[in-house]
Amino acid sequence: MQELGGTKQAIFEAAVNLFARDNYHHVSVRQIAKTVGIMASSIYNHYASKEAILLDIYDYFDTNMARLMPDLGTLMQMAETAHPHDVLRATTVVYPQAIVPTMAKAMLVTASMTSSDPRAEDLIHRNLIEMPYLYDIPLLNKMMDLDRIEPLDAESFALMHSCYCHSAAVRFYGSHGIDTDTWIRGMELLFGRVVVKQPAHA
Amino acid sequence: MQELGGTKQAIFEAAVNLFARDNYHHVSVRQIAKTVGIMASSIYNHYASKEAILLDIYDYFDTNMARLMPDLGTLMQMAETAHPHDVLRATTVVYPQAIVPTMAKAMLVTASMTSSDPRAEDLIHRNLIEMPYLYDIPLLNKMMDLDRIEPLDAESFALMHSCYCHSAAVRFYGSHGIDTDTWIRGMELLFGRVVVKQPAHA
DNA sequence: GTCTATATTCAGATAGAC
DNA sequence: GTCTATCTGAATATAGAC
């Protein structure tokens, strides 16, 4: 990962910005260097290759996701008492404000590589697709077991939830952005499928 | 578009297969030629450039989508009498069996270019994202006006619907396929948000 | 650590014989 | 229309002076 300040971080940030805007394949090492204000060859004092910069971006995305992902154990406890919709809301990863811009771009870069790099595909799959899936199913099952919600096809619900997060994440910062309010209302509409039996806790 | 048989179609099919599997940027004209069984230079007797092949694939996808897209007028009529869930089901484009394999690959190729080619992004946006949106909203509004369904946030529903179709389409033929049955059940689960007032027509 | 200069590789595309 | 041979250009990466 990148340290604080210095040329290496400048390279990282130039790269993440350029890759997010113009795609990895269309950005040359020379362009990155020009943005930083150095010669292309100097890049190689900090990164072994262009690909190494990309891997660093993947790593930034993956590390922060792992760090910020809610703990399933905590959520499972929440499932016993909290409002079922709140439990589902809590499965969403929330980035600290400070890293939002870089995370958004790192995610976009990783997502843009899914069709040409299996490593990126695995990262996106694991973090954006499989994750909501793996969280929702045990949570919903537990709440059904506790008779806190009406019976529901947890698997289909989880698929819908993960597709929604995935599509939105990929589109959020593309040319055709998604309106955040509409997105949240959509999510609430989906949560409406989870019908609470015992209304919100005390 | 491609005619029937002949070298040009062989090039088209080799390209669509290779691009779908390995990504446009990683497939060389030489590879396509080798697959067809000719020399790279012979490609240029049929296509002006590598990009021209790609544009032909875009066109194949777009033309067939336009051709198979249900007619909104017909759906609006359906909305007066048919079961509301059937109306929503009818918004989905169904490919004729004969073109399923090629369409699937053409769609995948187009989708894989969205992050590096604005033309592809527009095609995917128009056909996979905006389309369900543009269909659902007037249909739902009409059915609400006719008091056939309970009031509903049509915009959020449409966004959810379009995200689901988009994410699924892109993932269906990727490394991590989606189970078709689960997908359909997810769609039905979403349709369950549309609560029918007057039960299915006579 | 940065620079200049250059090596290397490879892909898209063209010329012209057959 | 297909071939062989070649051009052209671009991009990654390296060598070595400072």
Side-chain angles (χ1 to χ4, degrees):
Chain A
M1 187 80 59
Q2 13 122 42
E3 62 276 17
L4 323 100
T7 308
K8 186 167 185 176
Q9 192 180 345
I11 295 168
F12 178 91
E13 288 188 354
V16 99
N17 278 298
L18 290 169
F19 292 166
R21 203 191 59 190
D22 298 333
N23 193 282
Y24 175 76
H25 295 105
H26 292 161
V27 174
S28 68
V29 174
R30 282 174 171 79
Q31 274 176 276
I32 300 169
K34 191 173 182 181
T35 307
V36 175
I38 57 177
M39 284 292 110
S41 56
S42 298
I43 298 266
Y44 294 89
N45 287 315
H46 303 278
Y47 284 102
S49 64
K50 183 189 177 187
E51 191 184 38
I53 308 177
L54 182 65
L55 295 180
D56 209 9
I57 294 173
Y58 290 170
D59 187 57
Y60 180 89
F61 169 64
D62 192 38
T63 304
N64 277 300
M65 285 299 282
R67 184 167 71 86
L68 298 170
M69 204 161 281
D71 175 59
L72 183 55
T74 309
L75 293 176
M76 289 295 271
Q77 278 193 308
M78 251 186 100
E80 292 171 17
T81 53
H83 190 290
H85 294 185
D86 286 336
V87 175
L88 293 171
R89 283 185 200 105
T91 62
T92 302
V93 175
V94 181
Y95 308 145
Q97 274 299 323
I99 66 165
V100 165
T102 308
M103 266 306 271
K105 283 168 205 152
M107 184 180 73
L108 207 60
V109 170
T110 309
S112 76
M113 296 301 292
T114 48
S115 54
S116 59
D117 184 347
R119 292 165 300 189
E121 185 173 10
D122 281 345
L123 282 178
I124 292 294
H125 187 263
R126 188 151 46 74
N127 286 303
L128 294 187
I129 294 176
E130 200 169 52
M131 194 264 285
Y133 214 86
L134 293 179
Y135 277 48
D136 282 0
I137 291 179
L139 289 169
L140 291 170
N141 283 334
K142 178 162 188 176
M143 293 193 287
M144 279 189 270
D145 287 347
L146 294 178
D147 209 39
R148 303 197 62 215
I149 58 175
E150 298 283 347
L152 176 82
D153 182 344
E155 201 185 351
S156 306
F157 182 93
L159 180 63
M160 178 70 75
H161 191 185
S162 89
C163 280
Y164 194 55
C165 292
H166 171 236
S167 177
V170 173
R171 288 162 54 187
F172 246 122
Y173 301 95
S175 313
H176 304 281
I178 287 182
D179 177 61
T180 311
D181 284 342
T182 310
W183 186 77
I184 292 173
R185 280 189 286 124
M187 193 61 97
E188 295 298 326
L189 185 134
L190 179 63
F191 290 170
R193 286 299 285 167
V194 177
V195 180
V196 183
K197 274 186 159 173
Q198 302 169 221
H201 70 110
Chain B
M1 187 79 61
Q2 12 123 42
E3 62 276 17
L4 323 100
T7 308
K8 185 166 185 176
Q9 192 180 345
I11 295 168
F12 178 91
E13 288 186 355
V16 101
N17 279 296
L18 290 169
F19 292 166
R21 203 191 58 189
D22 297 334
N23 193 280
Y24 176 75
H25 294 105
H26 293 159
V27 174
S28 67
V29 174
R30 284 174 172 82
Q31 274 177 274
I32 300 169
K34 191 174 182 182
T35 306
V36 175
I38 56 177
M39 285 291 112
S41 56
S42 298
I43 298 264
Y44 293 90
N45 287 316
H46 304 278
Y47 285 104
S49 63
K50 182 188 177 187
E51 190 184 39
I53 308 177
L54 182 65
L55 294 179
D56 208 8
I57 294 173
Y58 290 169
D59 187 58
Y60 180 89
F61 169 65
D62 192 38
T63 304
N64 277 300
M65 285 299 282
R67 184 168 70 86
L68 298 170
M69 204 161 283
D71 175 60
L72 183 55
T74 309
L75 292 176
M76 288 295 270
Q77 278 192 310
M78 252 185 100
E80 291 170 20
T81 52
H83 190 290
H85 294 186
D86 286 335
V87 175
L88 294 171
R89 283 184 201 107
T91 62
T92 302
V93 175
V94 180
Y95 307 146
Q97 274 299 323
I99 66 164
V100 164
T102 309
M103 265 307 270
K105 283 168 205 152
M107 184 179 74
L108 207 60
V109 170
T110 309
S112 76
M113 296 302 292
T114 48
S115 53
S116 59
D117 185 346
R119 292 166 300 189
E121 184 172 10
D122 280 345
L123 283 178
I124 292 293
H125 187 262
R126 188 152 46 74
N127 285 303
L128 294 187
I129 294 176
E130 201 170 53
M131 193 265 284
Y133 214 85
L134 293 180
Y135 277 48
D136 282 359
I137 291 179
L139 290 169
L140 290 170
N141 283 334
K142 178 162 188 178
M143 293 193 285
M144 279 189 270
D145 286 346
L146 295 177
D147 209 40
R148 304 197 61 215
I149 58 175
E150 298 283 347
L152 176 82
D153 182 344
E155 201 185 352
S156 306
F157 181 93
L159 180 62
M160 178 71 72
H161 190 185
S162 88
C163 281
Y164 194 55
C165 292
H166 170 235
S167 177
V170 173
R171 288 162 56 186
F172 245 122
Y173 301 95
S175 314
H176 304 280
I178 287 182
D179 176 62
T180 311
D181 284 342
T182 311
W183 186 78
I184 291 172
R185 281 190 285 124
M187 193 63 96
E188 295 298 326
L189 185 135
L190 178 63
F191 290 170
R193 287 301 284 168
V194 176
V195 181
V196 183
K197 274 186 159 174
Q198 301 170 221
H201 70 112

